[in-house]
Amino acid sequence: MISPYVFQVATPFSTGTGVYLPDHGLVVTNEHLVRDNSTVVIGSETSAEQLAKVVYLDTYYDLAFLKPDNHQDFPLLLLATSDPAVGEAVTAIGQQFGHPLRVSDGQVLELEHEHHGIGFIMHDAWQEAAHSGGPLFNAAGELAGINMYDIKEGKGRALSLPATVVN
């Protein structure tokens, strides 16, 4: 079951999603969600709302690492050691604050789709605003990427930063 790793992330100005990496005790999300905040509120279907400190920001990759006040005792979440293949099934999960999880299944459409000079996984497990910062899982249930952008030119397509970059 992959949903316990998915957290809602909220600031006074935005909401989005993050994914908990138990071996590091961190939630990974998008930098643009938590920008200008030293702490944010996180919560999940299995964990009560709590504060998390913003401990790392990377504006280039649009990544942020959050340190929850309470460590979550989850099994290890495997990170994919290679990108999924074109045509491989993927699942994107997102959750805007106060709403239920949104799960979208799709497939990888393109690898190394360049956007702002970064190679992304392009897929059609599209979620609109709810997916920002959330996880992209491969068919084996490994974290394959962090969801970043919807492509406005191609409705139903999204970009995820490969998990190999997060590693």
Side-chain angles (χ1 to χ4, degrees):
M1 186 169 169
I2 53 181
S3 64
Y5 299 97
V6 180
F7 279 76
Q8 299 172 328
V9 178
T11 74
F13 308 105
S14 65
T15 64
T17 309
V19 60
Y20 185 69
L21 304 177
D23 53 332
H24 299 291
L26 297 171
V27 172
V28 179
T29 190
N30 292 143
E31 181 272 341
H32 73 266
L33 291 174
V34 300
R35 180 180 303 142
D36 298 327
N37 291 276
S38 59
T39 58
V40 298
V41 176
I42 63 170
S44 75
E45 291 184 335
T46 59
S47 299
E49 290 181 10
Q50 63 179 295
L51 292 177
K53 292 178 184 68
V54 178
V55 295
Y56 176 78
L57 294 172
D58 186 321
T59 57
Y60 181 71
Y61 285 108
D62 193 18
L63 285 176
F65 296 159
L66 314 175
K67 183 77 170 171
D69 282 347
N70 301 317
H71 178 75
Q72 305 301 306
D73 192 22
F74 295 148
L76 182 66
L77 176 62
L78 296 177
L79 274 63
T81 56
S82 61
D83 294 341
V86 171
E88 184 175 334
V90 290
T91 300
I93 301 179
Q95 187 171 21
Q96 288 181 307
F97 214 77
H99 296 279
L101 285 176
R102 268 180 87 178
V103 178
S104 299
D105 294 319
Q107 67 179 2
V108 174
L109 303 173
E110 184 182 329
L111 295 173
E112 293 298 317
H113 179 87
E114 193 165 309
H115 186 68
H116 299 299
I118 301 169
F120 288 94
I121 300 167
M122 181 194 296
H123 58 87
D124 61 2
W126 184 70
Q127 295 201 336
E128 293 185 285
H131 88 290
S132 192
L136 181 73
F137 291 102
N138 63 19
E142 300 168 325
L143 181 64
I146 302 297
N147 296 319
M148 296 289 185
Y149 305 103
D150 293 327
I151 300 176
K152 294 183 187 341
E153 311 85 54
K155 185 168 175 65
R157 296 181 182 180
L159 299 178
S160 296
L161 185 68
T164 54
V165 173
V166 177
N167 245 349

